[in-house]
Amino acid sequence: MHKVTILGFEQAYASAITGALDLFALAGVTWQRMQGDIPKQFFNVQLASLGAKPINCINQLQLASHIAIEDLEHTDLLLIPTIGGALEPVLESNRTLLQYIQHHYHAGADVASNCSGAFLLAESGILDGKEATTHWGYAELFQQKYPQVRLQPEKLITQQDRIYCSGGGMAWFDLALLLIERYCGHDVATNTAKAHVLDMARGNQAAYAQVRSKKYHQDEEILKCQEWLESHYSETFNIEHLAQRFNLTPRTFVRRFKRATDQAPIKYLQSIRIEAAKKLLETQNRPAEQITNEVGYDDLSSFTRLFKQHTGLSPSQYRKKFKR
């Protein structure tokens, strides 16, 4: 059997630990039982912690450890769960774990993280120069702390050089299914998903993200422009009009806007319009063409392409998934 080790630490998400443990341990078991076949377990799953001590997760849940991480000689996969507590204190109090992450990766193990668990991988240094993802809400902080990592915040899962990362807090099941497929093949992964009523290959996390406007800069004119755009995004205007409104030349306006927000003005406006369209699709029954016009676009087909670039879904798919 393949050996899977989940690394436990204080203030971890209990569900990211127990959920992944169940999914790996029941691959080849639950589906076979349902079909009246002989179960065949593919994974030996264990929970490791420093000194094999019980793991105090968030929300006052405590999990028993199977093995001390110091005593783990070999594993095929080392899985880092979500950090549920405040990031900086958790990272600081778990620096001892970094050497074990490094050791098992360099010994040939696959290493995977879920959600904010990617911060521990980045702290260990094994993500340097590699693609990674984390929860979209932590993307900006991650990029600031680890500029040497090639963060892909729109992706639900990244994989490079035996390192796997998944996005949101409950993306552990996407990650686990991917790894089950890696070790056992597509049929076992698909049957596991069916047995647990899970979707295979959800794609990306862009549809779940919200616009996070960068407003902590010191450029007062650009800050006023951002606020104006957020109130007038449906109007028709161009760069020249915007620059003139804030008493700047077009060239100076574009340069200062990009320096302050890390985005070109048009890209910034597109993001605001997409976010407005998302909210309307969630709450209104009006036709997509009407919503397209309301957020400042005339052509439904071109807006649909833009919307899909930002969210990974068409407007109709987004409405079906998120309508209240």
Side-chain angles (χ1 to χ4, degrees):
M1 288 192 292
H2 306 288
K3 183 179 285 188
V4 176
T5 303
I6 303 175
L7 184 59
F9 50 85
E10 300 288 300
Q11 296 294 294
Y13 250 49
S15 59
I17 295 174
T18 59
L21 192 153
D22 285 342
L23 208 57
F24 280 109
L26 293 174
V29 176
T30 304
W31 179 259
Q32 281 68 17
R33 286 174 179 165
M34 290 177 177
Q35 303 304 312
D37 296 332
I38 298 173
K40 179 183 178 181
Q41 191 170 359
F42 290 99
F43 296 95
N44 175 16
V45 192
Q46 57 189 355
L47 179 56
S49 66
L50 280 172
K53 294 178 181 178
I55 301 156
N56 295 308
C57 301
I58 60 170
N59 300 321
Q60 300 180 328
L61 290 173
Q62 188 179 83
L63 300 177
S65 183
H66 300 117
I67 187 174
I69 188 65
E70 305 95 304
D71 297 334
L72 181 66
E73 295 181 0
H74 165 78
T75 190
D76 295 303
L77 169 64
L78 183 66
L79 180 60
I80 317 300
T82 307
I83 297 173
L87 279 172
E88 293 296 344
V90 172
L91 292 174
E92 188 59 37
S93 62
N94 287 287
R95 293 202 170 277
T96 307
L97 295 176
L98 303 182
Q99 61 183 305
Y100 301 106
I101 296 173
Q102 295 166 348
H103 168 75
H104 288 289
Y105 176 67
H106 293 304
D110 290 343
V111 178
S113 69
N114 186 62
C115 191
S116 50
F119 280 77
L120 277 169
L121 292 192
E123 288 286 334
S124 75
I126 67 172
L127 277 180
D128 289 357
K130 298 181 178 65
E131 284 194 359
T133 191
T134 188
H135 192 288
W136 60 265
Y138 291 126
E140 189 173 300
L141 175 62
F142 191 98
Q143 288 176 318
Q144 290 172 2
K145 285 178 67 68
Y146 314 111
Q148 67 276 29
V149 180
R150 294 160 52 205
L151 188 67
Q152 309 289 321
E154 77 286 353
K155 291 187 177 180
L156 192 65
I157 293 179
T158 59
Q159 49 184 309
Q160 184 179 353
D161 298 339
R162 295 184 290 105
I163 298 178
Y164 299 78
C165 300
S166 60
M170 292 301 159
W172 56 262
F173 76 76
D174 300 276
L175 180 64
L177 289 172
L178 175 77
L179 291 165
I180 289 170
E181 183 171 13
R182 166 168 165 75
Y183 289 103
C184 307
H186 182 72
D187 288 346
V188 173
T190 300
N191 291 339
T192 302
K194 289 177 181 177
H196 295 274
V197 198
L198 299 173
D199 291 332
M200 289 283 287
R202 287 195 296 166
N204 63 44
Q205 59 175 333
Y208 301 87
Q210 291 180 322
V211 172
R212 296 171 64 87
S213 301
K214 182 179 175 182
K215 292 183 176 178
Y216 49 83
H217 54 80
Q218 304 300 314
D219 194 322
E220 291 296 329
E221 282 79 13
I222 299 304
L223 183 60
K224 290 176 184 176
C225 178
Q226 288 176 268
E227 293 170 349
W228 189 87
L229 286 172
E230 290 169 7
S231 300
H232 299 81
Y233 59 82
S234 62
E235 298 179 15
T236 301
F237 47 81
N238 57 31
I239 292 296
E240 287 72 20
H241 292 149
L242 276 177
Q244 185 178 17
R245 173 174 287 276
F246 296 97
N247 299 315
L248 297 170
T249 66
R251 184 176 179 181
T252 300
F253 171 71
V254 171
R255 176 175 53 80
R256 284 175 56 176
F257 197 100
K258 290 180 70 174
R259 183 175 62 191
T261 68
D262 293 330
Q263 279 187 299
I266 295 303
K267 290 289 185 182
Y268 189 88
L269 177 61
Q270 286 176 349
S271 298
I272 293 172
R273 287 173 166 174
I274 293 296
E275 193 65 28
K278 285 164 64 176
K279 290 176 181 176
L280 291 172
L281 289 165
E282 291 171 16
T283 58
Q284 303 290 330
N285 289 318
R286 285 176 286 166
E289 187 169 7
Q290 186 175 344
I291 289 175
T292 297
N293 295 334
E294 188 165 334
V295 299
Y297 292 99
D298 296 324
D299 182 61
L300 177 60
S301 60
S302 60
F303 174 71
T304 298
R305 287 194 299 271
L306 179 66
F307 190 91
K308 195 165 186 176
Q309 287 174 7
H310 278 254
T311 68
L313 302 171
S314 68
S316 60
Q317 290 170 328
Y318 184 90
R319 170 177 271 163
K320 184 177 181 180
K321 189 175 185 70
F322 292 106
K323 183 151 188 338
R324 299 172 190 171

